[in-house]
Amino acid sequence: FLSIGNFLFSQMEFPEDKVSAKFSVEQKGYEATIIAKVTVVPKWHINAVKLPKGSFLFPSSLNLNKASGFSLIGGNIEPKPHFMHDEMADEDLYYHEGTFTIKQKIKISSEKDFVLEGGFTFQTCNDVRCLPDYTFPIKLTIKGCPKEEAAIEEPAVDNTSNDLVEETVVDSNNEKPSLEKVKAGVEEAPVNASSDEKESGVSYWGVFFAAFFSGFIALIMPCVFPMIPMTVSFFTKQSKSRSAGIRKALMYGLSIVLIHVLLAVIVVVTGSASLLNELSTNPYFNLFFFVMLIVFGLSFLGAFEIQLPSKWVNAADAKADKGGLVGVFFMALVLSLASFSCTGPILGSLLVGISSEGGNMALIIGMFAFGLALALPFTLFSIFPSMMTSMPSSGGWLNVVKVFLGFIEIAFAFKFLSTFDTTLQLHILEREVFISAWIAIFGTLAIYLFGFIQLPHDSKVEKLSVGRTMLGVLTLTFTLYLLPGMWGAPLKIINAFLPPTTYAESPKGVGYQGGNTTSSVEHVEGMHDGPQGTQAFTDYDLALAYAKKVNKPLFIDFTGWGCVNCRKMENTVWGEPGIIEHLRNDVVIVSLYVDERTPLDKKDQKEIEINGRKMNIATIGNKWTAKQIIEYGTASQPYYVMQNTLGEDLPIGSADYQNHSNPSKFKEWVESGLSEFKK
């Protein structure tokens, strides 16, 4: 939905290399025509000025900056565009190629000469990909028009129609796209009245429902559910009555929505489209949440109580409503921030995709819908713990619940520590150490549930309830399930939380269950052991050179050390029969880690501009992040693309977690790429 207008491209090609423009002015008395003579290289084209309503393509436009001294007469005048129907995108395309002119008439009101400024904006495409939009600046001198001259020569001007179309002028040596199916007698295309009146072409309702659905997907991400214990504990502890609990739960949901809308506003103001992706992979951000969850977990176990200072408590009693709102908002903020590791990729796609296709309003609507979907289940869930506090004779079982949630908090805290460790490549919390920690945590929890140990606020256990016994059995079962992971078992139930199998002391040790690792790909310089026994590069240029040498397609894997969904794809999809054989033998894999902190050589460090915003390219991760945003218009991971040996994207689109976490769909995508490569 979001990528229809962003056909993929790979090599660092620039729009100004494909299109050139010369600007001139024809003036007669009070009226002048601004002329852009545009030339497009063979096999490339630019979109027409006027596109069908609802199109996601980027229209060309000749825009003049508003200034005193002139006014527009109608809209842009363009040649009759070519037409074709793109069956893959199911999109009607209107475009120009070769050499042609686009004009804009103006009415001069100034008696003195003045400088007219503006720009010609376009996006250039071929049969395979589109390059980012580009603007050629316009700066022309316009002669002033004496009033008496205007009075003599001014004809009647009709501004009622903007359907201004001329004949197309095409170079004789111009080659038309191979997929072109030009229709005879194409209808004339009306053009824009002005740049301010251009429609975004995006349905706000479509944006709302797409983002709302994405919010529900985020709920099933592995970093969202671990936040439920804090939500339960907070409302159980703080709500003194059913009505107070319901009120706070509603405030909680409203706060979640407000936080996401504020985030959209921040992105609009700063242009930081990759903000969430940066947060989800920032090592120190993850270290902070590790410490925070450990503190919460220890508090749940009874080590201490997290309380406000007595002055604050007294003030809160005096102003209960204000204090309650602040506490609820803080809990909503914790949920929103700590879940970024999983929701960041989804939000990253929304931020980049919606803002580039639909503008600022669409971005705000999308973030509102995402926050609403995320807030609804949490709000409804939070209402019920508040009811529990109004029940008489609650008993000691509530503390057991609190302790259980404390163990869960501590266990999930290690996910954030793992992200910190893998991002910085410290190799402190490798796979075996992580699994050991979880075995210890859940083993101790099982012993606690069976009543062999007691914690500070527990009641004396005289007999176990059926529920507590069954919960103990389930916890013990899970602990035993973890044990084979020490010897290499994949542990598919929790693989999204674990460090990758290659980030271990013995990636292929005794008991390794990754399947047959036999690969026809030779191990050459620049390769490393990738997921599921594959061989992968981490440098794009080396990988492309090797792909050309062995005549195999290049499989680009935009990934991250701290990317939860990347690990889930690698562990549950890559290793499936019918997929792993292709990844090991039929493609050349290059894994581009967007959070790789290794500094670039000083000579390669630079500052670039993306969509009008500056970005500092100082690390290898910055380099791959910029490549993904510039070439593919997204900042989410995992993100997969296949290319031929020339570095050109195969016309199969991209693959990602949201649409291809089903092995059959991912297999179909990989095989379609292999088929296109053979063609």
Side-chain angles (χ1 to χ4, degrees), residues 324-337:
L325 179 60
V326 171
V328 170
F329 183 83
F330 174 75
M331 292 301 299
L333 184 62
V334 169
L335 168 70
S336 302
L337 294 177

Side-chain angles (χ1 to χ4, degrees), residues 555-557 569-570 572-576 578-580 582-583 587 589 638-642 652 654-657 659-673:
F555 180 94
I556 302 179
D557 167 27
M569 282 289 289
E570 292 162 2
T572 61
V573 177
W574 282 33
E576 290 298 304
I579 297 177
I580 187 60
H582 291 314
L583 295 180
V587 301
I589 300 174
Y639 189 83
Y640 308 110
V641 182
M642 291 182 69
I652 60 170
S654 60
D656 54 39
Y657 178 82
N659 300 303
H660 298 83
S661 56
N662 183 307
S664 62
K665 291 184 178 180
F666 189 75
K667 179 175 181 289
E668 181 182 351
W669 179 80
V670 171
E671 290 181 343
S672 66

Side-chain angles (χ1 to χ4, degrees), residues 22-341:
K22 295 182 179 179
F23 304 101
S24 60
V25 58
E26 293 181 354
Q27 184 174 351
K28 184 178 180 182
Y30 79 100
E31 185 176 310
T33 301
I34 310 304
I35 303 172
K37 184 178 181 181
V38 183
T39 300
V40 185
V41 301
K43 298 184 180 181
W44 288 78
H45 63 269
I46 68 172
N47 298 321
V49 173
K50 182 64 178 179
L51 299 175
K53 187 175 182 180
S55 173
F56 287 92
L57 301 178
F58 189 94
S60 302
S61 61
L62 196 161
N63 302 316
L64 303 178
N65 297 342
K66 290 183 178 180
S68 59
F70 76 96
S71 58
L72 300 178
I73 301 177
N76 290 170
I77 304 171
E78 69 175 334
K80 183 184 295 183
H82 294 294
F83 170 83
M84 66 173 285
H85 181 75
D86 188 333
E87 296 180 358
M88 180 176 296
D90 192 22
E91 176 89 359
D92 287 338
L93 307 181
Y94 292 89
Y95 60 92
H96 300 295
E97 57 185 357
T99 299
F100 52 92
T101 59
I102 293 180
K103 304 177 182 178
Q104 174 65 58
K105 292 185 177 181
I106 63 172
K107 178 181 178 181
I108 301 170
S109 57
S110 174
E111 297 184 31
K112 298 181 179 180
D113 295 353
F114 63 94
V115 175
L116 183 148
E117 296 182 339
F120 175 64
T121 303
F122 63 92
Q123 184 177 42
T124 180
C125 307
N126 63 9
D127 293 350
V128 179
R129 59 190 180 277
C130 289
L131 303 182
D133 57 276
Y134 186 81
T135 300
F136 285 119
I138 298 174
K139 191 171 185 179
L140 297 169
T141 299
I142 307 297
K143 295 180 179 180
C145 177
K147 291 183 178 178
E148 56 272 16
E149 181 180 350
I152 296 173
E153 299 189 15
E154 179 174 358
V157 178
D158 180 10
N159 287 330
T160 60
S161 174
N162 287 328
D163 298 345
L164 307 174
V165 181
E166 298 182 336
E167 292 300 320
T168 306
V169 180
V170 183
D171 283 352
S172 59
N173 63 348
N174 181 61
E175 297 180 36
K176 301 183 186 301
S178 59
L179 296 177
E180 180 187 7
K181 298 179 180 178
V182 180
K183 290 187 176 180
V186 63
E187 296 180 1
E188 295 182 349
V191 300
N192 297 27
S194 73
S195 60
D196 295 334
E197 298 174 3
K198 288 190 295 185
E199 299 182 43
S200 66
V202 174
S203 166
Y204 288 149
W205 280 112
V207 169
F208 178 88
F209 286 115
F212 192 77
F213 178 71
S214 297
F216 276 117
I217 291 177
L219 285 170
I220 62 174
M221 295 294 100
C223 294
V224 177
F225 277 104
M227 303 310 297
I228 293 177
M230 277 195 288
T231 307
V232 177
S233 175
F234 179 81
F235 287 103
T236 300
K237 186 176 181 180
Q238 297 294 328
S239 300
K240 298 180 180 179
S241 67
R242 178 178 177 179
S243 60
I246 294 175
R247 184 170 63 252
K248 288 183 178 180
L250 292 175
M251 290 180 181
Y252 181 72
L254 181 62
S255 297
I256 293 175
V257 177
L258 178 62
I259 288 166
H260 284 81
V261 172
L262 288 176
L263 179 60
V265 173
I266 292 172
V267 172
V268 168
V269 173
T270 64
S272 304
S274 59
L275 174 65
L276 293 184
N277 189 64
E278 286 293 324
L279 287 177
S280 67
T281 59
N282 184 281
Y284 304 104
F285 182 86
N286 280 273
L287 180 62
F288 166 74
F289 274 101
F290 164 74
V291 174
M292 185 192 71
L293 290 179
I294 289 292
V295 170
F296 271 107
L298 293 176
S299 173
F300 293 163
L301 294 183
F304 49 83
E305 291 290 333
I306 300 178
Q307 294 180 339
L308 294 174
S310 58
K311 290 184 179 180
W312 295 13
V313 174
N314 295 333
D317 288 337
K319 300 178 180 180
D321 289 340
K322 184 177 180 180
L325 179 60
V326 171
V328 170
F329 183 83
F330 174 75
M331 292 301 299
L333 184 62
V334 169
L335 168 70
S336 302
L337 294 177
S339 62
F340 280 173
S341 289

Side-chain angles (χ1 to χ4, degrees), residues 558-631:
F558 286 100
T559 184
W561 294 111
C563 173
V564 173
N565 294 332
C566 301
R567 303 294 86 77
K568 196 168 184 65
M569 282 289 289
E570 292 162 2
N571 292 322
T572 61
V573 177
W574 282 33
E576 290 298 304
I579 297 177
I580 187 60
E581 293 82 4
H582 291 314
L583 295 180
R584 287 178 183 157
N585 304 314
D586 301 331
V587 301
V588 175
I589 300 174
V590 56
S591 297
L592 306 180
Y593 289 88
V594 299
D595 53 0
E596 175 59 55
R597 301 280 165 170
T598 303
L600 291 168
D601 292 338
K602 288 291 184 181
K603 61 182 179 63
D604 296 326
Q605 295 183 16
K606 57 186 176 181
E607 188 176 70
I608 64 172
E609 188 173 286
I610 301 178
N611 296 328
R613 302 289 176 178
K614 293 182 179 180
M615 178 177 179
N616 187 34
I617 308 298
T619 68
I620 292 176
N622 296 151
K623 177 181 177 181
W624 303 138
T625 299
K627 178 181 178 68
Q628 186 182 6
I629 294 176
I630 293 173
E631 299 185 10

Side-chain angles (χ1 to χ4, degrees), residues 540-559:
Y540 175 81
D541 294 328
L542 288 177
L544 182 61
Y546 182 72
K548 186 174 184 180
K549 174 184 176 182
V550 297
N551 194 32
K552 291 182 179 180
L554 184 64
F555 180 94
I556 302 179
D557 167 27
F558 286 100
T559 184

Side-chain angles (χ1 to χ4, degrees), residues 436-448:
S436 297
W438 271 35
I439 290 173
I441 292 169
F442 286 101
T444 304
L445 176 58
I447 295 173
Y448 168 80

Side-chain angles (χ1 to χ4, degrees), residues 481-534:
Y481 169 78
L482 294 174
L483 287 173
M486 295 293 294
W487 291 271
L491 303 182
K492 291 186 178 182
I493 294 177
I494 60 167
N495 56 30
F497 297 99
L498 299 174
T501 54
T502 54
Y503 197 79
E505 294 180 6
S506 55
K508 300 178 182 179
V510 178
Y512 176 71
Q513 299 295 317
N516 178 23
T517 61
T518 303
S519 171
S520 63
V521 178
E522 61 177 330
H523 192 91
V524 299
E525 183 179 358
M527 273 188 175
H528 70 283
D529 291 334
Q532 300 289 349
T534 59

